[in-house]
Amino acid sequence: MTVDLLERDPVRIESMFDELVPRYDLMNRVMTFGLDRSWRALAVRQLPTDIEGRALDLCCGTGDLTLALAGAFPALDVVGVDFSTEMIAAARRKAAAWAQALEASPPQFLRGDALRLPFENDWFSVATVGWGLRNVNDLAGVLSELLRVLRPGGRLVCLESTWPRERWARALHGVWMGYCVPALGSVVARQREAYSYLPASVQAFPRVDELAARMARSGFNGVRYRSLGLRAVAIHVGDKPLVALSA
C-alpha cells in the first residue's frame, strides 16, 4: 500500500483506520515502547497554563490526546474530531470510562472533515493534533483551517512522527519502521498492510524544519519545534497572530 494510492482513495484510508481500532492503542504502545503517553503529556505542557474556553483535538483517533488535554485543563470545553467513525466510537467509550472514574464530564467527540471544520471563526483557545497531519491530503488547507478556528493569540501544538535528518538516526529508523513495524502490525494487529502504510507516510511527510516553515507560511507566529525519540518524533508549536495581517 502506498501513500499515493491512499491519497487517491480517501474512502480506503478511512476504512483502513476503522479496521485498526481493536488493536490501535496496543500497537501505539508497542511501536513507541510506551513512550507515546509521555510524548502526549509533553505536547499538552506546551499549552499556556492559564487558558480558558474551548480546545480542539483534531485527528483525535481513539482519544488519548483528547483525554490528556481534558485531564490537564478540567475547566476547558474539549472537543475531539476525527474522520473515522470507528475511532470516534472507541474514543467515546474510552472517555465515558475516564469520566466515570474521575467523576468528571467527558470531552465531546465529533466525526468531521479536517478541511471543513464545523466551527465558527476564532472558536477555540488552543488546538492539538497528534499523529494526524501526516494522513491529510491537503496539509496547507488543514493548517489554514486550524488557523481559522483558533482565536487571535491561540496556540496550535502538533505531535507527529518524522523522518530523521541525521544519518545514524535514519538508519535506525529505517530498520524499525521499514521492517519491524510491519512485522509487528502483522502479528499484533493482523494488519500488515496498514502498518506498511505508516513508514511510507512518515517518509513522505515534510521534515521538521519544512513543517515549521509550512506552519509559518500558513500564518502561525513564533513557530518552534522539539525533536524526541531519537529524532523520530517532533512537537511543533505555533501561535495565531493577535492582529490579522493585512492583505
Side-chain angles (χ1 to χ4, degrees):
M1 179 183 293
T2 67
V3 177
D4 289 341
L5 176 60
L6 288 171
E7 287 178 344
R8 289 195 299 270
D9 188 359
V11 174
R12 187 177 178 188
I13 192 170
E14 180 182 351
S15 175
M16 180 188 74
F17 276 97
D18 283 346
E19 293 171 1
L20 289 178
V21 168
R23 299 293 180 91
Y24 183 75
D25 290 345
L26 175 60
M27 274 298 295
N28 284 343
R29 304 292 102 78
V30 172
M31 287 190 301
T32 65
F33 301 97
L35 292 172
D36 60 303
R37 288 171 171 164
S38 63
W39 293 337
R40 289 188 190 91
L42 183 59
V44 169
R45 288 201 293 273
Q46 307 312 303
L47 298 170
T49 57
D50 59 348
I51 52 175
E52 299 177 343
R54 308 180 187 93
L56 168 67
D57 181 31
L58 185 59
C59 305
C60 65
T62 60
D64 280 347
L65 183 54
T66 320
L67 292 176
L69 182 57
F73 299 98
L76 284 179
D77 292 326
V78 181
V79 179
V81 174
D82 200 276
F83 74 120
S84 166
T85 302
E86 293 302 320
M87 289 280 181
I88 287 294
R92 287 171 176 159
R93 292 192 296 270
K94 186 185 295 183
W98 174 88
Q100 184 176 20
L102 297 179
E103 298 184 350
S105 297
Q108 183 181 6
F109 290 96
L110 302 173
R111 185 178 182 275
D113 185 344
L115 288 166
R116 289 179 289 274
L117 293 171
F119 307 109
E120 298 177 10
N121 295 348
D122 308 334
W123 191 248
F124 293 102
S125 301
V126 294
T128 58
V129 187
W131 289 288
L133 290 181
R134 195 182 66 253
N135 298 310
V136 302
N137 291 343
D138 181 359
L139 177 58
V142 172
L143 290 173
S144 177
E145 187 70 345
L146 283 164
L147 190 73
R148 179 186 70 79
V149 300
L150 278 171
R151 65 166 175 75
R155 179 164 296 175
L156 170 64
V157 177
C158 300
L159 174 63
E160 186 57 87
S161 296
T162 186
W163 206 258
R165 291 176 297 179
E166 296 83 353
R167 183 177 298 178
W168 64 268
R170 285 201 308 271
L172 287 174
H173 198 51
V175 172
W176 179 247
M177 295 292 284
Y179 297 97
C180 300
V181 167
L184 286 168
S186 180
V187 174
V188 176
R190 299 179 179 86
Q191 292 283 348
R192 185 179 184 90
E193 186 181 35
Y195 286 99
S196 296
Y197 159 78
L198 173 60
S201 69
V202 174
Q203 256 190 314
F205 193 65
R207 305 303 187 255
V208 286
D209 49 353
E210 175 59 19
L211 179 56
R214 293 198 187 191
M215 288 175 64
R217 287 199 297 270
S218 294
F220 287 95
N221 278 349
V223 179
R224 58 272 192 200
Y225 63 85
R226 174 178 177 178
S227 295
L228 307 164
L230 298 177
R231 308 291 195 273
V233 175
I235 296 174
H236 284 71
V237 181
D239 301 313
K240 181 172 180 175
L242 287 169
V243 179
L245 298 177
S246 59

PDB file of all heavy atoms in Angstrom, residues 69-89:
ATOM      1  N   LEU A  69      -5.506  16.220  27.283  1.00  0.00           N
ATOM      2  CA  LEU A  69      -5.824  17.643  27.277  1.00  0.00           C
ATOM      3  C   LEU A  69      -6.914  17.965  28.295  1.00  0.00           C
ATOM      4  O   LEU A  69      -6.796  18.909  29.088  1.00  0.00           O
ATOM      5  CB  LEU A  69      -6.264  18.030  25.860  1.00  0.00           C
ATOM      6  CG  LEU A  69      -6.614  19.479  25.544  1.00  0.00           C
ATOM      7  CD1 LEU A  69      -5.459  20.405  25.873  1.00  0.00           C
ATOM      8  CD2 LEU A  69      -6.998  19.605  24.070  1.00  0.00           C
ATOM      9  N   ALA A  70      -7.961  17.150  28.308  1.00  0.00           N
ATOM     10  CA  ALA A  70      -9.051  17.372  29.251  1.00  0.00           C
ATOM     11  C   ALA A  70      -8.597  17.173  30.699  1.00  0.00           C
ATOM     12  O   ALA A  70      -9.035  17.888  31.605  1.00  0.00           O
ATOM     13  CB  ALA A  70     -10.207  16.427  28.934  1.00  0.00           C
ATOM     14  N   GLY A  71      -7.709  16.206  30.921  1.00  0.00           N
ATOM     15  CA  GLY A  71      -7.217  15.965  32.268  1.00  0.00           C
ATOM     16  C   GLY A  71      -6.333  17.083  32.782  1.00  0.00           C
ATOM     17  O   GLY A  71      -6.367  17.416  33.976  1.00  0.00           O
ATOM     18  N   ALA A  72      -5.547  17.674  31.894  1.00  0.00           N
ATOM     19  CA  ALA A  72      -4.648  18.752  32.301  1.00  0.00           C
ATOM     20  C   ALA A  72      -5.376  20.071  32.508  1.00  0.00           C
ATOM     21  O   ALA A  72      -4.942  20.909  33.310  1.00  0.00           O
ATOM     22  CB  ALA A  72      -3.544  18.929  31.255  1.00  0.00           C
ATOM     23  N   PHE A  73      -6.494  20.249  31.785  1.00  0.00           N
ATOM     24  CA  PHE A  73      -7.239  21.513  31.859  1.00  0.00           C
ATOM     25  C   PHE A  73      -8.728  21.213  32.062  1.00  0.00           C
ATOM     26  O   PHE A  73      -9.529  21.293  31.123  1.00  0.00           O
ATOM     27  CB  PHE A  73      -7.034  22.325  30.575  1.00  0.00           C
ATOM     28  CG  PHE A  73      -5.606  22.708  30.315  1.00  0.00           C
ATOM     29  CD1 PHE A  73      -4.832  21.965  29.440  1.00  0.00           C
ATOM     30  CD2 PHE A  73      -5.035  23.797  30.947  1.00  0.00           C
ATOM     31  CE1 PHE A  73      -3.511  22.314  29.188  1.00  0.00           C
ATOM     32  CE2 PHE A  73      -3.719  24.157  30.712  1.00  0.00           C
ATOM     33  CZ  PHE A  73      -2.950  23.410  29.830  1.00  0.00           C
ATOM     34  N   PRO A  74      -9.128  20.866  33.287  1.00  0.00           N
ATOM     35  CA  PRO A  74     -10.514  20.444  33.544  1.00  0.00           C
ATOM     36  C   PRO A  74     -11.550  21.512  33.228  1.00  0.00           C
ATOM     37  O   PRO A  74     -12.717  21.183  32.966  1.00  0.00           O
ATOM     38  CB  PRO A  74     -10.500  20.111  35.041  1.00  0.00           C
ATOM     39  CG  PRO A  74      -9.078  19.900  35.399  1.00  0.00           C
ATOM     40  CD  PRO A  74      -8.280  20.770  34.487  1.00  0.00           C
ATOM     41  N   ALA A  75     -11.162  22.782  33.255  1.00  0.00           N
ATOM     42  CA  ALA A  75     -12.135  23.849  33.012  1.00  0.00           C
ATOM     43  C   ALA A  75     -12.408  24.076  31.530  1.00  0.00           C
ATOM     44  O   ALA A  75     -13.363  24.772  31.170  1.00  0.00           O
ATOM     45  CB  ALA A  75     -11.643  25.153  33.647  1.00  0.00           C
ATOM     46  N   LEU A  76     -11.598  23.502  30.666  1.00  0.00           N
ATOM     47  CA  LEU A  76     -11.781  23.690  29.230  1.00  0.00           C
ATOM     48  C   LEU A  76     -12.913  22.820  28.697  1.00  0.00           C
ATOM     49  O   LEU A  76     -13.123  21.697  29.170  1.00  0.00           O
ATOM     50  CB  LEU A  76     -10.500  23.325  28.470  1.00  0.00           C
ATOM     51  CG  LEU A  76      -9.330  24.304  28.493  1.00  0.00           C
ATOM     52  CD1 LEU A  76      -8.165  23.726  27.692  1.00  0.00           C
ATOM     53  CD2 LEU A  76      -9.724  25.662  27.954  1.00  0.00           C
ATOM     54  N   ASP A  77     -13.616  23.328  27.700  1.00  0.00           N
ATOM     55  CA  ASP A  77     -14.552  22.509  26.928  1.00  0.00           C
ATOM     56  C   ASP A  77     -13.763  21.901  25.771  1.00  0.00           C
ATOM     57  O   ASP A  77     -13.387  22.603  24.825  1.00  0.00           O
ATOM     58  CB  ASP A  77     -15.700  23.364  26.384  1.00  0.00           C
ATOM     59  CG  ASP A  77     -16.612  23.874  27.479  1.00  0.00           C
ATOM     60  OD1 ASP A  77     -16.798  23.146  28.474  1.00  0.00           O
ATOM     61  OD2 ASP A  77     -17.129  24.993  27.356  1.00  0.00           O
ATOM     62  N   VAL A  78     -13.493  20.605  25.854  1.00  0.00           N
ATOM     63  CA  VAL A  78     -12.608  19.935  24.893  1.00  0.00           C
ATOM     64  C   VAL A  78     -13.436  19.149  23.878  1.00  0.00           C
ATOM     65  O   VAL A  78     -14.352  18.407  24.253  1.00  0.00           O
ATOM     66  CB  VAL A  78     -11.618  18.995  25.622  1.00  0.00           C
ATOM     67  CG1 VAL A  78     -10.689  18.321  24.619  1.00  0.00           C
ATOM     68  CG2 VAL A  78     -10.819  19.776  26.661  1.00  0.00           C
ATOM     69  N   VAL A  79     -13.079  19.306  22.609  1.00  0.00           N
ATOM     70  CA  VAL A  79     -13.751  18.600  21.524  1.00  0.00           C
ATOM     71  C   VAL A  79     -12.704  17.832  20.719  1.00  0.00           C
ATOM     72  O   VAL A  79     -11.694  18.400  20.297  1.00  0.00           O
ATOM     73  CB  VAL A  79     -14.494  19.573  20.586  1.00  0.00           C
ATOM     74  CG1 VAL A  79     -15.168  18.808  19.454  1.00  0.00           C
ATOM     75  CG2 VAL A  79     -15.515  20.386  21.357  1.00  0.00           C
ATOM     76  N   GLY A  80     -12.946  16.537  20.497  1.00  0.00           N
ATOM     77  CA  GLY A  80     -12.107  15.734  19.624  1.00  0.00           C
ATOM     78  C   GLY A  80     -12.809  15.506  18.293  1.00  0.00           C
ATOM     79  O   GLY A  80     -14.008  15.208  18.280  1.00  0.00           O
ATOM     80  N   VAL A  81     -12.092  15.645  17.195  1.00  0.00           N
ATOM     81  CA  VAL A  81     -12.667  15.475  15.857  1.00  0.00           C
ATOM     82  C   VAL A  81     -11.820  14.482  15.074  1.00  0.00           C
ATOM     83  O   VAL A  81     -10.585  14.568  15.083  1.00  0.00           O
ATOM     84  CB  VAL A  81     -12.732  16.817  15.099  1.00  0.00           C
ATOM     85  CG1 VAL A  81     -13.194  16.606  13.656  1.00  0.00           C
ATOM     86  CG2 VAL A  81     -13.656  17.794  15.809  1.00  0.00           C
ATOM     87  N   ASP A  82     -12.468  13.545  14.394  1.00  0.00           N
ATOM     88  CA  ASP A  82     -11.772  12.582  13.556  1.00  0.00           C
ATOM     89  C   ASP A  82     -12.696  12.178  12.403  1.00  0.00           C
ATOM     90  O   ASP A  82     -13.921  12.264  12.531  1.00  0.00           O
ATOM     91  CB  ASP A  82     -11.365  11.344  14.363  1.00  0.00           C
ATOM     92  CG  ASP A  82     -10.246  10.554  13.695  1.00  0.00           C
ATOM     93  OD1 ASP A  82     -10.546   9.725  12.816  1.00  0.00           O
ATOM     94  OD2 ASP A  82      -9.074  10.778  14.045  1.00  0.00           O
ATOM     95  N   PHE A  83     -12.107  11.719  11.295  1.00  0.00           N
ATOM     96  CA  PHE A  83     -12.914  11.321  10.143  1.00  0.00           C
ATOM     97  C   PHE A  83     -13.359   9.871  10.210  1.00  0.00           C
ATOM     98  O   PHE A  83     -14.235   9.455   9.451  1.00  0.00           O
ATOM     99  CB  PHE A  83     -12.126  11.553   8.845  1.00  0.00           C
ATOM    100  CG  PHE A  83     -11.019  10.555   8.615  1.00  0.00           C
ATOM    101  CD1 PHE A  83     -11.024   9.757   7.479  1.00  0.00           C
ATOM    102  CD2 PHE A  83      -9.984  10.410   9.523  1.00  0.00           C
ATOM    103  CE1 PHE A  83     -10.011   8.833   7.262  1.00  0.00           C
ATOM    104  CE2 PHE A  83      -8.970   9.500   9.306  1.00  0.00           C
ATOM    105  CZ  PHE A  83      -8.985   8.701   8.178  1.00  0.00           C
ATOM    106  N   SER A  84     -12.766   9.087  11.114  1.00  0.00           N
ATOM    107  CA  SER A  84     -13.078   7.659  11.221  1.00  0.00           C
ATOM    108  C   SER A  84     -14.219   7.422  12.200  1.00  0.00           C
ATOM    109  O   SER A  84     -14.113   7.742  13.391  1.00  0.00           O
ATOM    110  CB  SER A  84     -11.833   6.879  11.671  1.00  0.00           C
ATOM    111  OG  SER A  84     -12.185   5.577  12.087  1.00  0.00           O
ATOM    112  N   THR A  85     -15.288   6.834  11.712  1.00  0.00           N
ATOM    113  CA  THR A  85     -16.445   6.548  12.553  1.00  0.00           C
ATOM    114  C   THR A  85     -16.089   5.620  13.709  1.00  0.00           C
ATOM    115  O   THR A  85     -16.511   5.834  14.856  1.00  0.00           O
ATOM    116  CB  THR A  85     -17.559   5.902  11.706  1.00  0.00           C
ATOM    117  OG1 THR A  85     -17.904   6.783  10.635  1.00  0.00           O
ATOM    118  CG2 THR A  85     -18.792   5.630  12.551  1.00  0.00           C
ATOM    119  N   GLU A  86     -15.308   4.587  13.433  1.00  0.00           N
ATOM    120  CA  GLU A  86     -14.955   3.623  14.472  1.00  0.00           C
ATOM    121  C   GLU A  86     -13.998   4.217  15.502  1.00  0.00           C
ATOM    122  O   GLU A  86     -14.069   3.883  16.692  1.00  0.00           O
ATOM    123  CB  GLU A  86     -14.356   2.363  13.834  1.00  0.00           C
ATOM    124  CG  GLU A  86     -15.344   1.566  13.006  1.00  0.00           C
ATOM    125  CD  GLU A  86     -16.552   1.120  13.807  1.00  0.00           C
ATOM    126  OE1 GLU A  86     -16.375   0.723  14.978  1.00  0.00           O
ATOM    127  OE2 GLU A  86     -17.673   1.183  13.271  1.00  0.00           O
ATOM    128  N   MET A  87     -13.088   5.078  15.055  1.00  0.00           N
ATOM    129  CA  MET A  87     -12.194   5.752  16.001  1.00  0.00           C
ATOM    130  C   MET A  87     -13.001   6.616  16.957  1.00  0.00           C
ATOM    131  O   MET A  87     -12.763   6.612  18.178  1.00  0.00           O
ATOM    132  CB  MET A  87     -11.169   6.604  15.242  1.00  0.00           C
ATOM    133  CG  MET A  87     -10.113   5.822  14.501  1.00  0.00           C
ATOM    134  SD  MET A  87      -8.802   5.254  15.607  1.00  0.00           S
ATOM    135  CE  MET A  87      -7.741   4.399  14.411  1.00  0.00           C
ATOM    136  N   ILE A  88     -13.968   7.363  16.431  1.00  0.00           N
ATOM    137  CA  ILE A  88     -14.795   8.213  17.272  1.00  0.00           C
ATOM    138  C   ILE A  88     -15.599   7.375  18.268  1.00  0.00           C
ATOM    139  O   ILE A  88     -15.724   7.725  19.450  1.00  0.00           O
ATOM    140  CB  ILE A  88     -15.726   9.076  16.400  1.00  0.00           C
ATOM    141  CG1 ILE A  88     -14.926  10.176  15.693  1.00  0.00           C
ATOM    142  CG2 ILE A  88     -16.852   9.689  17.231  1.00  0.00           C
ATOM    143  CD1 ILE A  88     -14.326  11.208  16.625  1.00  0.00           C
ATOM    144  N   ALA A  89     -16.140   6.247  17.816  1.00  0.00           N
ATOM    145  CA  ALA A  89     -16.902   5.370  18.719  1.00  0.00           C
ATOM    146  C   ALA A  89     -16.012   4.860  19.845  1.00  0.00           C
ATOM    147  O   ALA A  89     -16.422   4.822  21.019  1.00  0.00           O
ATOM    148  CB  ALA A  89     -17.500   4.207  17.931  1.00  0.00           C
TER     149      ALA A  89
END
